[in-house]
């Protein structure tokens, strides 16, 4: 699968990185013999009210309205919330906050009972997409900081730079010239072969044509 065509799936390296992240959860009910999940637990059981960190791949297997854990909004999204409200997200270094800012939030959105994360990632992308378009039109990679963009934004930036370069080449007529499609070329070849066969048939003596 091409690195430019990332989509969450079981074999995606990016998806594996995202789902390895730990998420803070509050225990809602007593869980017997689950104390090993909390390094600070005094008993073999998990008591209600305790806070533990669980990997995202485990949380994904739970029902959204499960009775065992309540997912806490990660601090990275709380930090962005104020900037979202002030419409000033373009200066945030999302790559420093989390290299998979949007994808991590997308996985957590169904478990966010206050519907905060979904609004944050939507508004963040909405506010940053124009800026992303602008830097894609500038001087290629020199406009991009490794920490400024998250994984998805970096891929969009690379695609934007490549597309803009192709567009400029087209305007300056330096790119590949327009070519006839393979289907049309094959049809033309068949027509030429048919025309040659007709010409050869007309050049034969009448007796040979009759024999043929």
């Amino acid at each position: 699968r091409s690195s430019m065509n990332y989509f969450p799936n079981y074999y995606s390296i990016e998806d594996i990185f995202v789902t390895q992240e730990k998420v803070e959860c509050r225990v809602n009910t007593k869980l017997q013999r689950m104390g090993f999940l909390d390094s600070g637990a005094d008993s073999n059981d998990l008591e209600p009210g305790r806070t533990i960190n669980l990997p995202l791949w485990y949380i994904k297997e739970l029902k959204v309205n499960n009775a065992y854990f309540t997912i806490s909004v990660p601090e990275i999204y709380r930090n962005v919330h104020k900037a979202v409200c002030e419409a000033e997200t373009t200066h945030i270094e999302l790559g420093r906050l989390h290299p998979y800012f949007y994808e991590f939030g997308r996985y957590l959105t169904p478990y966010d009972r206050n519907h905060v994360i979904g609004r944050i990632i939507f508004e963040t992308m909405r506010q940053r997409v124009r800026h992303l378009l602008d830097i894609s039109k500038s001087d290629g990679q020199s406009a991009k900081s490794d920490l400024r963009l998250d994984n998805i934004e970096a891929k969009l930036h690379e695609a934007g730079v490549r597309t803009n370069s192709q567009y400029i080449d087209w305007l300056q007529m330096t790119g590949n010239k327009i070519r006839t499609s393979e289907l049309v070329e094959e049809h033309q070849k068949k027509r030429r072969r048919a025309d040659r066969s007709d010409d050869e048939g007309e050049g034969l003596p009448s007796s040979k044509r009759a024999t043929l």
Side-chain angles (χ1 to χ4, degrees):
R1 183 180 293 267
S2 172
S3 61
M4 290 302 297
N5 294 325
Y6 162 64
F7 188 81
N9 70 91
Y10 184 80
Y11 298 103
S12 168
I13 296 298
E14 291 94 339
D15 201 48
I16 293 174
F17 287 154
V18 174
T19 54
Q20 289 292 328
E21 290 290 333
K22 295 292 184 66
V23 181
E24 185 178 283
C25 305
R26 188 179 73 251
V27 181
N28 295 328
T29 185
K30 183 175 181 178
L31 301 175
Q32 296 183 352
R33 300 179 181 275
M34 299 293 285
F36 65 90
L37 293 175
D38 183 4
S39 58
D42 298 327
S43 66
N44 293 328
D45 303 330
L46 270 181
E47 300 294 336
R50 298 288 297 186
T51 299
I52 61 174
N53 293 320
L54 296 175
L56 182 56
W57 59 261
Y58 178 79
I59 295 173
K60 284 175 53 187
E61 302 304 318
L62 299 175
K63 293 182 179 179
V64 173
N65 295 320
N66 73 88
Y68 309 112
F69 304 105
T70 298
I71 308 301
S72 301
V73 176
E75 186 177 355
I76 58 173
Y77 299 103
R78 294 198 295 268
N79 292 339
V80 174
H81 185 67
K82 181 179 179 181
V84 167
C85 295
E86 297 174 353
E88 295 182 356
T89 60
T90 56
H91 70 280
I92 297 177
E93 293 185 333
L94 286 189
R96 185 186 297 275
L97 288 177
H98 198 288
Y100 301 96
F101 179 85
Y102 296 105
E103 198 60 33
F104 186 44
R106 188 188 69 83
Y107 273 123
L108 292 178
T109 294
Y111 301 92
D112 176 20
R113 298 179 180 180
N114 295 320
H115 309 292
V116 174
I117 299 177
R119 291 197 301 268
I120 288 176
I121 60 177
F122 173 79
E123 286 297 324
T124 301
M125 174 56 79
R126 188 183 67 82
Q127 293 175 18
R128 288 170 66 91
V129 68
R130 171 57 61 179
H131 176 67
L132 195 61
L133 179 61
D134 291 339
I135 64 174
S136 296
K137 292 180 179 179
S138 61
D139 189 19
Q141 295 296 324
S142 63
K144 185 190 75 171
S145 166
D146 290 338
L147 297 176
R148 186 171 183 80
L149 308 179
D150 96 314
N151 181 62
I152 290 179
E153 287 183 339
K155 291 181 182 297
L156 289 174
H157 175 265
E158 292 172 6
V161 170
R162 186 176 63 256
T163 302
N164 187 64
S165 176
Q166 292 173 347
Y167 176 65
I168 292 175
D169 290 343
W170 179 79
L171 289 178
Q172 297 175 349
M173 304 301 291
T174 59
N176 294 329
K177 298 186 181 298
I178 298 176
R179 297 180 55 188
T180 306
S181 70
E182 294 181 0
L183 185 62
V184 174
E185 287 182 347
E186 185 63 27
H187 179 70
Q188 290 175 343
K189 289 179 181 178
K190 290 180 179 179
R191 288 290 302 273
R192 286 195 292 268
R193 286 196 294 266
D195 291 343
R196 285 197 297 268
S197 297
D198 293 341
D199 293 341
E200 292 174 357
E202 292 176 357
L204 292 174
S206 58
S207 59
K208 290 188 177 182
R209 288 203 302 269
T211 303
L212 293 173

